[in-house]
Amino acid sequence: MTTRVLFVCLGNICRSPTAEAVFRGLRPDLVTDSAGTAGYHVGEPPYGPMQDAARKRGIGMSDLRARQFGAADFSRFDLILGMDAENLRNIEALRPKGAETLVRLLTDYGSGADVVPDPYYTRDFEGALDIIEAAAQGLARALD
Ligand code: 4NP
């Protein structure tokens, strides 16, 4: 069975599209998507400064568009990965009764960081990329 992996952050314009773009490059054999728990940026491409930082590392994501996470995602995906504790709370608040879909932090798969701090606020796009790339590599190996 193909594993379906969903990356989730708050706005779906910085961290989760980056994680999606990095991970799809590592595991093109898996189904990969991303979403935000908030709807502020639905339909928008990833944030310009985030795209610029990623592009310098050879990571393209200009094709992606923000969408909002919803309860239906629990049945559409096998593994849902949040970027921080707030994401996990917002995801779990929508878990349908009986849904057993695994929800974890992306950083559970390695990077040395506890969470992926939000670069929309910290402006540390390089730091976010470092954490996302390391954790995505760990995830890619874990799903072998
Ligand atoms: P993200 O960053 O959750 O990594 O996409 C954010 C982007 C925008 C906002 C919040 C977080 N915002 O409030 O507009």
Side-chain angles (χ1 to χ4, degrees), residues 34-76:
S34 67
T37 59
Y40 322 125
H41 297 284
V42 168
E44 294 178 17
Y47 190 50
M50 187 79 252
Q51 286 203 56
D52 293 345
R55 196 179 300 111
K56 287 187 200 144
R57 300 189 188 200
I59 302 156
M61 52 172 141
S62 60
D63 58 308
L64 302 181
R65 294 294 178 271
R67 73 168 179 91
Q68 190 165 11
F69 178 79
D73 287 313
F74 282 90
S75 54
R76 292 194 186 120

Side-chain angles (χ1 to χ4, degrees), residues 57-100:
R57 300 189 188 200
I59 302 156
M61 52 172 141
S62 60
D63 58 308
L64 302 181
R65 294 294 178 271
R67 73 168 179 91
Q68 190 165 11
F69 178 79
D73 287 313
F74 282 90
S75 54
R76 292 194 186 120
F77 295 91
D78 305 299
L79 176 59
I80 298 173
L81 295 165
M83 304 295 137
D84 61 28
E86 180 191 3
N87 299 156
L88 294 194
R89 284 194 297 277
N90 290 332
I91 292 165
E92 290 296 351
L94 294 179
R95 183 187 286 275
K97 269 197 176 60
E100 293 181 356

Side-chain angles (χ1 to χ4, degrees), residues 116-144:
V116 186
D118 194 338
Y120 192 74
Y121 300 113
T122 68
R123 313 310 291 176
D124 185 5
F125 299 97
E126 297 298 334
L129 272 163
D130 289 343
I131 296 169
I132 289 167
E133 288 200 295
Q137 284 163 14
L139 176 64
R141 284 192 295 270
L143 296 181
D144 263 350

